Amino acid sequence: MTSTRKGWTRGHTGWAFGTALIFTLGIVFGLIWSNVLLGVVLAGAVSIGWLMAYESWRGRNVGLDNRDDDGAQL
């Protein structure tokens, strides 16, 4: 039986907090550089990496041996 959880799970709270922090820091750095748009764009790029790293860290298939994997891993 597979478990399909829909909605807001406990693990998403950490990701949402980290994303909000990244965007806040991006806006602050943008204000320091006098270019808020640049800060928001950089925060957006960093938050995509944050999402991939966070989901990889939370992964449900840790230690899974996949012979078809070509080595493209985070």
Side-chain angles (χ1 to χ4, degrees):
M1 176 177 261
T2 60
S3 165
T4 58
R5 295 183 66 171
K6 294 183 179 180
W8 193 264
T9 61
R10 187 177 59 182
H12 290 144
T13 304
W15 171 78
F17 178 73
T19 301
L21 182 64
I22 289 170
F23 272 99
T24 302
L25 290 174
I27 291 170
V28 168
F29 284 128
L31 288 171
I32 291 171
W33 296 330
S34 299
N35 193 345
V36 177
L37 182 61
L38 177 64
V40 170
V41 169
L42 288 175
V46 171
S47 69
I48 291 171
W50 162 250
L51 172 64
M52 290 189 299
Y54 189 80
E55 289 297 323
S56 175
W57 172 73
R58 281 187 62 228
R60 293 182 179 88
N61 296 327
V62 176
L64 180 67
D65 184 25
N66 185 356
R67 284 180 268 153
D68 297 327
D69 186 10
D70 63 355
Q73 298 177 1
L74 181 62

Coordinates of all heavy atoms in Angstrom, one line a residue:
M1 N 0.9 -1.2 0.0 CA 0.0 0.0 0.0 C 0.9 1.2 0.0 O 1.8 1.3 0.8 CB -0.9 0.0 1.2 CG -1.8 1.2 1.4 SD -2.8 1.1 2.8 CE -4.3 0.6 1.9
T2 N 0.7 2.1 -0.9 CA 1.5 3.3 -1.0 C 0.8 4.5 -0.3 O -0.5 4.6 -0.3 CB 1.7 3.8 -2.4 OG1 0.5 4.0 -3.1 CG2 2.5 2.7 -3.2
S3 N 1.6 5.3 0.3 CA 1.0 6.4 1.1 C 1.1 7.7 0.2 O 2.2 8.1 -0.2 CB 1.8 6.6 2.4 OG 1.6 7.9 2.9
T4 N 0.0 8.3 -0.1 CA 0.1 9.5 -0.9 C -0.4 10.7 0.0 O -1.6 10.7 0.3 CB -0.8 9.4 -2.2 OG1 -2.1 9.1 -1.8 CG2 -0.3 8.4 -3.1
R5 N 0.5 11.5 0.5 CA 0.1 12.6 1.3 C 0.0 13.8 0.5 O 0.9 14.2 -0.3 CB 1.2 12.8 2.4 CG 1.3 11.6 3.3 CD 2.4 11.9 4.4 NE 1.9 13.0 5.2 CZ 2.4 13.4 6.3 NH1 3.5 12.8 6.7 NH2 1.9 14.4 7.0
K6 N -1.2 14.4 0.6 CA -1.4 15.7 -0.1 C -1.6 16.8 0.9 O -2.0 16.6 2.0 CB -2.7 15.6 -0.9 CG -2.5 14.5 -2.1 CD -3.8 14.5 -2.9 CE -3.6 13.5 -4.0 NZ -4.7 13.4 -4.9
G7 N -1.3 18.0 0.5 CA -1.4 19.1 1.4 C -0.1 19.5 2.0 O 1.0 19.2 1.5
W8 N -0.2 20.2 3.1 CA 1.0 20.8 3.8 C 1.5 19.8 4.7 O 0.8 19.4 5.7 CB 0.6 22.1 4.5 CG 1.8 22.9 4.9 CD1 2.3 22.8 6.1 CD2 2.5 23.8 4.2 NE1 3.4 23.7 6.2 CE2 3.5 24.2 5.0 CE3 2.5 24.2 2.8 CZ2 4.5 25.2 4.6 CZ3 3.4 25.1 2.4 CH2 4.4 25.6 3.3
T9 N 2.7 19.3 4.5 CA 3.3 18.3 5.4 C 4.2 19.0 6.4 O 4.6 20.1 6.2 CB 4.1 17.2 4.6 OG1 5.1 17.8 3.9 CG2 3.1 16.5 3.7
R10 N 4.6 18.3 7.4 CA 5.5 18.8 8.4 C 6.8 19.3 7.9 O 7.4 20.3 8.3 CB 5.7 17.8 9.5 CG 6.4 18.3 10.7 CD 6.6 17.3 11.8 NE 7.3 16.2 11.2 CZ 7.5 15.1 11.9 NH1 7.1 14.9 13.1 NH2 8.2 14.1 11.3
G11 N 7.3 18.6 6.9 CA 8.6 18.9 6.3 C 8.6 20.2 5.5 O 9.7 20.8 5.3
H12 N 7.5 20.6 5.0 CA 7.4 21.8 4.2 C 7.6 23.1 5.0 O 7.9 24.1 4.5 CB 6.1 21.9 3.4 CG 6.0 20.9 2.3 ND1 4.8 20.2 2.0 CD2 7.0 20.4 1.5 CE1 5.1 19.4 1.0 NE2 6.4 19.5 0.7
T13 N 7.4 23.0 6.3 CA 7.5 24.2 7.2 C 9.0 24.7 7.2 O 9.2 25.9 7.1 CB 7.0 23.9 8.6 OG1 5.7 23.4 8.5 CG2 7.1 25.1 9.5
G14 N 9.9 23.8 7.3 CA 11.3 24.1 7.3 C 11.7 24.7 5.9 O 12.5 25.7 5.9
W15 N 11.2 24.2 4.8 CA 11.5 24.7 3.5 C 10.9 26.1 3.4 O 11.6 27.0 2.9 CB 11.0 23.8 2.4 CG 11.0 24.4 1.1 CD1 12.2 24.5 0.3 CD2 10.0 25.1 0.4 NE1 11.9 25.2 -0.8 CE2 10.6 25.6 -0.8 CE3 8.7 25.3 0.7 CZ2 9.8 26.3 -1.7 CZ3 7.9 26.0 -0.3 CH2 8.5 26.5 -1.4
A16 N 9.7 26.3 3.8 CA 9.1 27.6 3.7 C 9.8 28.7 4.5 O 10.0 29.8 4.1 CB 7.6 27.5 4.1
F17 N 10.2 28.3 5.7 CA 11.0 29.2 6.6 C 12.3 29.6 5.9 O 12.7 30.8 5.9 CB 11.2 28.6 7.9 CG 12.0 29.5 8.8 CD1 11.5 30.7 9.4 CD2 13.3 29.2 9.1 CE1 12.2 31.5 10.2 CE2 14.1 30.0 9.9 CZ 13.5 31.2 10.5
G18 N 13.0 28.6 5.4 CA 14.3 28.9 4.7 C 14.1 29.8 3.5 O 14.9 30.7 3.2
T19 N 13.0 29.5 2.7 CA 12.8 30.3 1.5 C 12.5 31.8 1.9 O 13.0 32.7 1.3 CB 11.6 29.7 0.7 OG1 12.0 28.4 0.3 CG2 11.3 30.5 -0.5
A20 N 11.6 31.9 2.9 CA 11.3 33.3 3.4 C 12.6 34.0 3.9 O 12.8 35.2 3.6 CB 10.3 33.2 4.5
L21 N 13.4 33.3 4.5 CA 14.7 33.9 5.0 C 15.6 34.3 3.8 O 16.2 35.4 3.8 CB 15.4 32.9 5.9 CG 16.7 33.4 6.5 CD1 16.5 34.6 7.5 CD2 17.4 32.3 7.3
I22 N 15.7 33.4 2.8 CA 16.5 33.7 1.7 C 16.0 35.0 0.9 O 16.8 35.8 0.6 CB 16.5 32.5 0.7 CG1 17.4 31.4 1.3 CG2 17.1 32.9 -0.7 CD1 17.3 30.1 0.6
F23 N 14.7 35.1 0.8 CA 14.1 36.2 0.1 C 14.3 37.5 0.9 O 14.6 38.6 0.4 CB 12.6 36.0 -0.3 CG 12.5 35.4 -1.6 CD1 12.3 34.0 -1.7 CD2 12.6 36.1 -2.8 CE1 12.1 33.4 -3.0 CE2 12.4 35.5 -4.0 CZ 12.2 34.2 -4.1
T24 N 14.2 37.4 2.3 CA 14.4 38.5 3.1 C 15.9 39.0 3.0 O 16.1 40.2 2.9 CB 14.1 38.2 4.6 OG1 12.7 37.7 4.7 CG2 14.3 39.4 5.5
L25 N 16.8 38.1 3.0 CA 18.2 38.5 2.9 C 18.5 39.0 1.5 O 19.2 40.0 1.3 CB 19.1 37.2 3.1 CG 19.2 36.8 4.5 CD1 20.0 35.5 4.6 CD2 19.8 37.8 5.4
G26 N 17.8 38.5 0.4 CA 17.9 39.0 -0.9 C 17.5 40.5 -1.0 O 18.1 41.3 -1.6
I27 N 16.3 40.8 -0.3 CA 15.8 42.2 -0.3 C 16.8 43.1 0.4 O 17.1 44.2 0.0 CB 14.4 42.2 0.2 CG1 13.5 41.5 -0.8 CG2 14.0 43.6 0.5 CD1 12.1 41.3 -0.2
V28 N 17.3 42.6 1.6 CA 18.2 43.4 2.3 C 19.5 43.7 1.5 O 20.0 44.9 1.5 CB 18.6 42.7 3.7 CG1 19.7 43.4 4.4 CG2 17.3 42.7 4.6
F29 N 20.1 42.7 0.9 CA 21.2 42.9 0.1 C 20.9 43.8 -1.1 O 21.7 44.6 -1.5 CB 21.9 41.6 -0.4 CG 22.6 40.9 0.7 CD1 22.4 39.6 1.0 CD2 23.6 41.5 1.4 CE1 23.1 38.9 1.9 CE2 24.3 40.9 2.4 CZ 24.0 39.5 2.7
G30 N 19.7 43.7 -1.7 CA 19.3 44.5 -2.7 C 19.2 46.0 -2.3 O 19.6 46.9 -3.0
L31 N 18.7 46.2 -1.1 CA 18.7 47.6 -0.6 C 20.1 48.1 -0.3 O 20.3 49.3 -0.6 CB 17.9 47.6 0.7 CG 16.4 47.4 0.6 CD1 15.7 47.3 2.0 CD2 15.8 48.6 -0.2
I32 N 21.0 47.3 0.1 CA 22.4 47.7 0.3 C 23.0 48.1 -1.0 O 23.7 49.1 -1.1 CB 23.2 46.6 1.1 CG1 22.7 46.5 2.5 CG2 24.7 46.9 1.0 CD1 23.3 45.3 3.2
W33 N 22.7 47.3 -2.0 CA 23.3 47.5 -3.4 C 22.5 48.6 -4.2 O 22.8 48.8 -5.3 CB 23.4 46.3 -4.2 CG 24.3 45.2 -3.6 CD1 25.4 45.4 -2.9 CD2 24.1 43.8 -3.8 NE1 25.9 44.2 -2.5 CE2 25.2 43.2 -3.1 CE3 23.2 43.0 -4.4 CZ2 25.4 41.8 -3.0 CZ3 23.3 41.6 -4.3 CH2 24.4 41.1 -3.6
S34 N 21.4 49.1 -3.6 CA 20.5 50.0 -4.2 C 19.9 49.4 -5.5 O 19.6 50.1 -6.5 CB 21.3 51.3 -4.6 OG 21.8 51.9 -3.5
N35 N 19.6 48.1 -5.5 CA 19.0 47.5 -6.6 C 18.2 46.3 -6.0 O 18.7 45.1 -6.0 CB 20.0 47.0 -7.6 CG 19.4 46.6 -8.9 OD1 18.2 46.4 -9.0 ND2 20.2 46.5 -9.9
V36 N 17.0 46.6 -5.6 CA 16.1 45.5 -4.9 C 15.8 44.4 -5.9 O 15.8 43.2 -5.6 CB 14.9 46.1 -4.3 CG1 14.0 45.1 -3.8 CG2 15.2 47.1 -3.3
L37 N 15.6 44.8 -7.2 CA 15.2 43.8 -8.2 C 16.4 42.7 -8.3 O 16.1 41.5 -8.4 CB 14.9 44.4 -9.5 CG 14.5 43.5 -10.7 CD1 13.3 42.7 -10.3 CD2 14.4 44.2 -12.0
L38 N 17.6 43.2 -8.3 CA 18.7 42.3 -8.4 C 18.7 41.3 -7.2 O 19.0 40.1 -7.3 CB 20.0 43.0 -8.5 CG 21.3 42.2 -8.5 CD1 21.4 41.3 -9.7 CD2 22.5 43.1 -8.4
G39 N 18.5 41.9 -6.0 CA 18.4 41.1 -4.8 C 17.4 40.0 -4.9 O 17.6 38.9 -4.5
V40 N 16.2 40.4 -5.4 CA 15.1 39.4 -5.5 C 15.4 38.3 -6.5 O 15.1 37.2 -6.3 CB 13.8 40.2 -5.8 CG1 12.7 39.2 -6.2 CG2 13.3 41.0 -4.7
V41 N 16.0 38.7 -7.6 CA 16.4 37.7 -8.7 C 17.4 36.8 -8.1 O 17.3 35.5 -8.3 CB 16.9 38.4 -9.9 CG1 17.5 37.4 -10.9 CG2 15.7 39.2 -10.6
L42 N 18.4 37.3 -7.4 CA 19.4 36.4 -6.8 C 18.8 35.5 -5.8 O 19.1 34.3 -5.7 CB 20.6 37.2 -6.2 CG 21.5 37.9 -7.2 CD1 22.5 38.8 -6.5 CD2 22.2 36.9 -8.1
A43 N 17.9 36.0 -5.0 CA 17.2 35.2 -4.0 C 16.4 34.1 -4.6 O 16.3 33.0 -4.1 CB 16.4 36.1 -3.1
G44 N 15.8 34.4 -5.7 CA 15.0 33.4 -6.5 C 15.9 32.3 -6.9 O 15.5 31.1 -6.8
A45 N 17.0 32.6 -7.5 CA 17.9 31.6 -8.0 C 18.5 30.8 -6.8 O 18.5 29.5 -7.0 CB 19.1 32.3 -8.7
V46 N 18.8 31.4 -5.7 CA 19.3 30.6 -4.6 C 18.2 29.8 -4.0 O 18.5 28.6 -3.6 CB 19.9 31.6 -3.5 CG1 20.2 30.9 -2.2 CG2 21.1 32.3 -4.1
S47 N 17.0 30.3 -4.0 CA 15.9 29.5 -3.4 C 15.6 28.2 -4.2 O 15.1 27.2 -3.6 CB 14.6 30.3 -3.2 OG 14.1 30.7 -4.4
I48 N 15.8 28.3 -5.5 CA 15.6 27.1 -6.3 C 16.6 26.0 -5.9 O 16.3 24.8 -5.7 CB 15.7 27.4 -7.8 CG1 14.5 28.2 -8.2 CG2 15.8 26.1 -8.6 CD1 14.6 28.8 -9.6
G49 N 17.9 26.4 -5.7 CA 18.9 25.5 -5.2 C 18.6 25.0 -3.8 O 18.8 23.8 -3.5
W50 N 18.0 25.9 -3.0 CA 17.6 25.6 -1.6 C 16.5 24.5 -1.7 O 16.6 23.5 -0.9 CB 17.2 26.8 -0.9 CG 16.4 26.6 0.3 CD1 15.0 26.8 0.5 CD2 16.8 26.0 1.6 NE1 14.6 26.5 1.7 CE2 15.7 26.0 2.4 CE3 18.0 25.6 2.0 CZ2 15.8 25.5 3.7 CZ3 18.1 25.1 3.3 CH2 17.0 25.1 4.2
L51 N 15.6 24.6 -2.6 CA 14.5 23.7 -2.7 C 15.1 22.3 -3.1 O 14.7 21.3 -2.5 CB 13.5 24.1 -3.7 CG 12.4 23.1 -4.1 CD1 11.6 22.7 -2.9 CD2 11.6 23.6 -5.3
M52 N 16.0 22.3 -4.1 CA 16.5 21.0 -4.5 C 17.3 20.3 -3.4 O 17.2 19.1 -3.1 CB 17.4 21.2 -5.7 CG 16.6 21.5 -7.0 SD 17.5 21.5 -8.5 CE 18.7 22.7 -8.2
A53 N 18.2 21.1 -2.7 CA 19.0 20.6 -1.6 C 18.1 20.1 -0.5 O 18.4 19.0 0.1 CB 20.0 21.7 -1.2
Y54 N 17.1 20.9 -0.1 CA 16.3 20.5 1.0 C 15.5 19.2 0.7 O 15.4 18.3 1.6 CB 15.3 21.6 1.3 CG 14.5 21.4 2.6 CD1 15.1 21.7 3.8 CD2 13.2 20.9 2.6 CE1 14.4 21.5 5.0 CE2 12.5 20.7 3.8 CZ 13.1 21.0 5.0 OH 12.5 20.8 6.2
E55 N 14.9 19.1 -0.5 CA 14.2 17.9 -0.8 C 15.1 16.7 -0.9 O 14.7 15.6 -0.6 CB 13.3 18.1 -2.1 CG 12.2 19.1 -1.9 CD 11.1 18.5 -0.9 OE1 10.9 17.3 -0.9 OE2 10.6 19.3 -0.2
S56 N 16.3 16.9 -1.4 CA 17.3 15.8 -1.5 C 17.6 15.4 -0.1 O 17.7 14.2 0.2 CB 18.5 16.3 -2.2 OG 19.5 15.3 -2.2
W57 N 17.8 16.3 0.8 CA 18.1 16.0 2.2 C 17.0 15.2 2.9 O 17.2 14.3 3.6 CB 18.5 17.2 3.0 CG 18.7 17.0 4.4 CD1 19.7 16.4 5.0 CD2 17.8 17.4 5.5 NE1 19.5 16.4 6.4 CE2 18.3 17.0 6.7 CE3 16.5 18.1 5.5 CZ2 17.7 17.3 7.9 CZ3 15.9 18.3 6.7 CH2 16.5 17.9 7.9
R58 N 15.8 15.6 2.6 CA 14.6 15.0 3.2 C 14.3 13.6 2.5 O 13.4 12.9 2.9 CB 13.3 15.8 3.0 CG 13.2 16.9 4.0 CD 11.9 17.6 3.8 NE 10.8 16.7 4.1 CZ 9.7 16.6 3.3 NH1 9.6 17.2 2.2 NH2 8.8 15.7 3.6
G59 N 14.9 13.3 1.4 CA 14.6 12.2 0.5 C 14.1 11.0 1.1 O 14.5 10.6 2.2
R60 N 13.1 10.4 0.5 CA 12.5 9.1 1.0 C 13.2 7.9 0.4 O 12.9 6.8 0.8 CB 11.1 9.1 0.5 CG 10.3 10.1 1.2 CD 8.8 10.1 0.9 NE 8.0 11.1 1.6 CZ 7.8 12.3 1.1 NH1 8.4 12.7 0.0 NH2 7.1 13.2 1.8
N61 N 14.2 8.1 -0.5 CA 14.9 6.9 -1.1 C 16.4 7.0 -0.8 O 17.2 6.6 -1.6 CB 14.7 6.9 -2.6 CG 13.2 6.7 -3.0 OD1 12.5 6.0 -2.3 ND2 12.8 7.4 -4.0
V62 N 16.7 7.4 0.4 CA 18.1 7.4 0.8 C 18.7 6.0 0.8 O 18.1 5.1 1.3 CB 18.2 8.1 2.2 CG1 19.7 8.1 2.6 CG2 17.7 9.5 2.2
G63 N 19.8 5.9 0.1 CA 20.5 4.6 0.0 C 20.0 3.7 -1.0 O 20.4 2.6 -1.1
L64 N 19.1 4.2 -1.8 CA 18.5 3.4 -2.9 C 19.6 3.1 -4.0 O 20.2 4.0 -4.5 CB 17.3 4.1 -3.5 CG 16.6 3.4 -4.7 CD1 15.9 2.1 -4.1 CD2 15.6 4.3 -5.3
D65 N 19.8 1.9 -4.3 CA 20.8 1.5 -5.3 C 20.0 1.4 -6.6 O 19.2 0.5 -6.8 CB 21.4 0.2 -4.9 CG 22.5 -0.2 -5.9 OD1 23.1 0.7 -6.6 OD2 22.8 -1.4 -6.0
N66 N 20.3 2.3 -7.5 CA 19.7 2.2 -8.9 C 20.7 2.0 -9.9 O 21.6 2.9 -10.2 CB 18.9 3.6 -9.1 CG 18.1 3.6 -10.4 OD1 18.2 2.6 -11.1 ND2 17.4 4.6 -10.6
R67 N 20.7 0.9 -10.6 CA 21.8 0.6 -11.6 C 21.6 1.5 -12.8 O 22.6 1.7 -13.6 CB 21.7 -0.8 -12.0 CG 22.3 -1.7 -10.9 CD 22.2 -3.2 -11.4 NE 21.0 -3.7 -10.8 CZ 20.3 -4.7 -11.3 NH1 20.7 -5.3 -12.4 NH2 19.1 -5.1 -10.7
D68 N 20.4 2.0 -13.1 CA 20.2 2.8 -14.3 C 20.5 4.3 -14.0 O 20.4 5.1 -14.9 CB 18.7 2.7 -14.7 CG 18.4 1.3 -15.1 OD1 19.2 0.6 -15.6 OD2 17.2 0.9 -14.8
D69 N 21.0 4.6 -12.8 CA 21.3 6.0 -12.5 C 22.6 6.4 -13.2 O 23.6 5.7 -13.1 CB 21.5 6.2 -11.0 CG 21.7 7.6 -10.6 OD1 21.5 8.5 -11.5 OD2 22.0 7.9 -9.4
D70 N 22.6 7.5 -13.9 CA 23.8 7.9 -14.7 C 24.7 8.8 -13.8 O 25.6 9.4 -14.4 CB 23.4 8.6 -16.0 CG 22.6 9.9 -15.7 OD1 22.3 10.2 -14.6 OD2 22.4 10.6 -16.7
G71 N 24.5 9.0 -12.6 CA 25.3 9.7 -11.7 C 25.0 11.2 -11.5 O 25.6 11.9 -10.9
A72 N 23.9 11.6 -12.1 CA 23.4 13.0 -12.0 C 22.7 13.1 -10.7 O 21.5 12.9 -10.6 CB 22.6 13.4 -13.2
Q73 N 23.4 13.4 -9.7 CA 22.8 13.6 -8.4 C 23.2 14.9 -7.8 O 24.3 15.4 -8.1 CB 23.2 12.5 -7.4 CG 22.8 11.1 -7.9 CD 23.3 10.0 -7.0 OE1 23.9 10.3 -6.0 NE2 23.0 8.8 -7.4
L74 N 22.4 15.4 -6.8 CA 22.7 16.6 -6.1 C 23.7 16.4 -5.1 O 23.6 15.4 -4.3 CB 21.5 17.3 -5.6 CG 21.7 18.6 -4.8 CD1 22.2 19.6 -5.8 CD2 20.4 19.0 -4.2

